[in-house]
Structures are given as C-alpha cells and as structure tokens.
Amino acid sequence: MPPPGPSPAPALSNVHARGREKLLAHLAMLLFASLIAGSFSFGGMAAQHLDSGPLTLMRYLMTVAVMGVLTFWIMRVPFALPRAIWRYAVLGGLIATYMLTMFIALEFTSPVQTGAVFTLMPLISAGFALMFIGQRTRPDVLAALVTAGLGAIWVIFRADVQALLSFDIGRGELIFLAGVIGHAAYVPLLRKLSRGENPVLFGFWIIVFTVPWLVPTGARELASLEFRALPLSVWATLAYLSIVTTAFTFLLLQYASMRLPAAKVLGYGYLTPSFVIVLEGLLGHGWVAPPVILGALVTAAGLIVMGVLKD
C-alpha cells in the first residue's frame, strides 16, 4: 500500500502484485471460497429461527464488534475518523444489498437457481472494472473465466441436463441479480475509492457503514426478539458468520482486491459450489455423482489457468 495522501494515486487501481504477493493473494481467495462454502450449512440452521432482515442486521452488528477488536486492540491500528464518508456509505450499501437480496431471493427460489445467478459475478465485475478504473481483462483470462463458469454451472445443476435446460428466470433470480451486480461493482470500487488508508481501518469503517442500510429491514424484528429463546446453534452460527464469513473473509477479499484484477478475484467464487459438495460429503450427507465431480474439476482447471495467466 502507498503512504496516505490527500488523493488517490492515479496508477494504484491498475498496479497488480507479483511474485510472493501475487501467490498470497491467490491463496487468500482460495481460503475465501472454502470459508464461504462453510457458511451455507451453518446459515441454513440460523435461517430456521430468524428472518433474513434481523439475521443480517444481527450478523453485522456482531461483525462491527469483531472488526473493532481486531482493528484497534489486536492490530493496534490508530483510531481515525473516516474521510469522505460517502465512500464508505457507497461500499457498505453494495455489501448490504448483496446480503439482503441473497436471503430474500431464497424465499422465492432455490439455492440452485441463485447459485447459477452467482456465477455471473466475475464477468459482470470485469465490466465494472473497465468502467470504473479502466482495468481490462485479457482475452485469455476471460476465456479461463468462461471455462470455470461453465464447470460451476454444471456443478450447480448436478450434471442434470434437463434441470439446466429448464432454467427459468423468475422473481427470486431477478432479485438476487441486483445483489450480484452490487457485489460485482464492489471489488473495483474498493480500489477506486481507496485513498491510501490503512486497509484494516478502511475495512472497519465499511462494515460500520453497512449497518445503517440494514436497519430498516431488521431493526423492528430484532428489537422484539426473545434472545433467550434462541438455541445455541443459532449463536454458534452467528459467531461463525460474523467472525469467519464476514470479518475474516472481508479482510481476505480486501487483501486480494488490492493485488489482483477484479475478474480474477471474483473468479474464485466459482469454487464455492465445489467446496460445498466436498463439505457435505465429509459431513456424511452423501457424495455427488462422478459427472458432477467432473464439472468441479473443470472449474478448478479453469481457475488454475486463470491464476497463472498474466494480469
């Protein structure tokens, strides 16, 4: 990161890491995808007891506390009020939109359908990267992304050609598409709006400014919630979601976003369905058919090619 300055460095948004920094950024996103996959099983447990609004708000209130401890106590980052607050409001709004639309969409459609919409994110992000920061995706990288995406779709539909052909865009898919577009814009905007702040402090204030966007949809129900009646599994799930899949993965995403092109960063999202398959098998919920595993291997191959290609 460059030293803090009064305005963003013009070349910052298109400077990519090399060598060890590049490898660490790719490993960060690999860990990111695996941790996000774990949230599906745990998130389903909490969703049985809490609606999407209060669940998301409660999750982010806990994340603010976790990020505060991480930022100011563990990492001992000097406290500083945010400059140009509108930047944090924009980024927080995009994250809030993605999280809310994901849970709302699941009320109208299935995880399979939303997973298919999710695979559009890297390509949409590549378009936003070109629009916001002039970051062009190389044709070979784009081809690797498309290959990985096709493998991911095959995995999502569990190698069922009929299920793939019968895919229909409904209300839930359109709702989640809005959130996917928001998250796709978030990664390149993270670079564009950075002004050389400490990345951890920057991340803390983004989380803080995510909360106001969630208040209208969850505050009333959260205020009337009987916390003592919530089972231990809900608290364990919220802890996992706020510490692991929000705070920790947020830092991983931010680390990689400042070192890799936006399309490569979000390309790792294709691996999430494959990690879910592995996790479900290890938990004893059954393994998928070999044709589905073939799709996961295609996705992995596409991402490996994408990772080694020039930025």
Side-chain angles (χ1 to χ4, degrees):
M1 292 290 296
S7 60
L12 176 63
S13 60
N14 281 312
V15 175
H16 307 308
R18 296 180 180 180
R20 183 173 179 271
E21 282 282 306
K22 180 178 180 178
L23 176 61
L24 289 175
H26 281 290
L27 291 176
M29 288 311 300
L30 191 62
L31 180 58
F32 171 90
S34 64
L35 294 176
I36 290 296
S39 69
F40 285 93
S41 297
F42 295 117
M45 295 165 57
Q48 297 175 5
H49 303 276
L50 287 175
D51 291 333
S52 59
L55 173 62
T56 309
L57 177 57
M58 194 172 178
R59 169 183 178 176
Y60 272 88
L61 287 173
M62 293 177 66
T63 303
V64 169
V66 171
M67 286 289 289
V69 171
L70 175 68
T71 303
F72 304 116
W73 186 50
I74 297 177
M75 304 191 71
R76 300 190 180 278
V77 176
F79 180 84
L81 292 174
R83 294 176 293 155
I85 290 178
W86 66 270
R87 298 178 298 151
Y88 300 93
V90 168
L91 293 172
L94 292 174
I95 293 297
T97 299
Y98 172 76
M99 294 305 306
L100 279 176
T101 56
M102 180 180 69
F103 284 111
I104 294 173
L106 288 171
E107 297 177 7
F108 299 97
T109 188
S110 69
V112 169
Q113 306 296 85
T114 53
V117 177
F118 180 82
T119 60
L120 298 174
M121 190 182 296
L123 294 176
I124 297 174
S125 184
F128 279 126
L130 177 62
M131 181 190 309
F132 294 143
I133 58 181
Q135 187 182 92
R136 297 181 180 275
T137 303
R138 290 165 49 89
D140 48 4
V141 173
L142 192 61
L145 281 174
V146 171
T147 301
L150 291 175
I153 291 176
W154 189 250
V155 169
I156 289 167
F157 286 95
R158 296 184 176 272
D160 187 341
V161 177
Q162 189 59 43
L164 179 61
L165 293 177
S166 63
F167 177 74
D168 183 30
I169 298 294
R171 181 187 300 181
E173 288 83 3
L174 290 175
I175 290 173
F176 188 50
L177 179 61
V180 166
I181 292 173
H183 199 295
Y186 171 83
V187 173
L189 279 178
L190 191 64
R191 282 192 172 208
K192 183 177 180 63
L193 299 182
S194 173
R195 297 188 178 179
E197 295 95 342
N198 180 292
V200 179
L201 183 64
F202 192 51
F204 168 76
W205 285 117
I206 292 174
I207 291 294
V208 169
F209 280 88
T210 299
V211 173
W213 294 98
L214 300 172
V215 168
T217 60
R220 179 176 297 179
E221 290 185 57
L222 191 61
S224 60
L225 187 65
E226 288 289 339
F227 293 98
R228 294 181 180 179
L230 293 177
L232 182 60
S233 60
V234 171
W235 292 107
T237 298
L238 285 170
Y240 181 85
L241 293 175
S242 60
I243 297 173
V244 178
T245 63
T246 302
F248 190 44
T249 57
F250 181 90
L251 294 177
L252 291 172
L253 180 62
Q254 180 147 338
Y255 178 86
S257 297
M258 300 303 292
R259 290 162 176 81
L260 298 174
K264 284 193 174 185
V265 170
L266 289 180
Y268 278 92
Y270 288 142
L271 278 178
T272 297
S274 300
F275 278 125
V276 171
I277 288 174
V278 174
L279 179 61
E280 288 295 299
L282 292 175
L283 291 175
H285 297 164
W287 293 94
V288 297
V292 179
I293 296 177
L294 178 62
L297 292 176
V298 170
T299 299
L303 289 175
I304 290 172
V305 171
M306 177 198 71
V308 300
L309 288 173
K310 183 180 178 181
D311 293 336

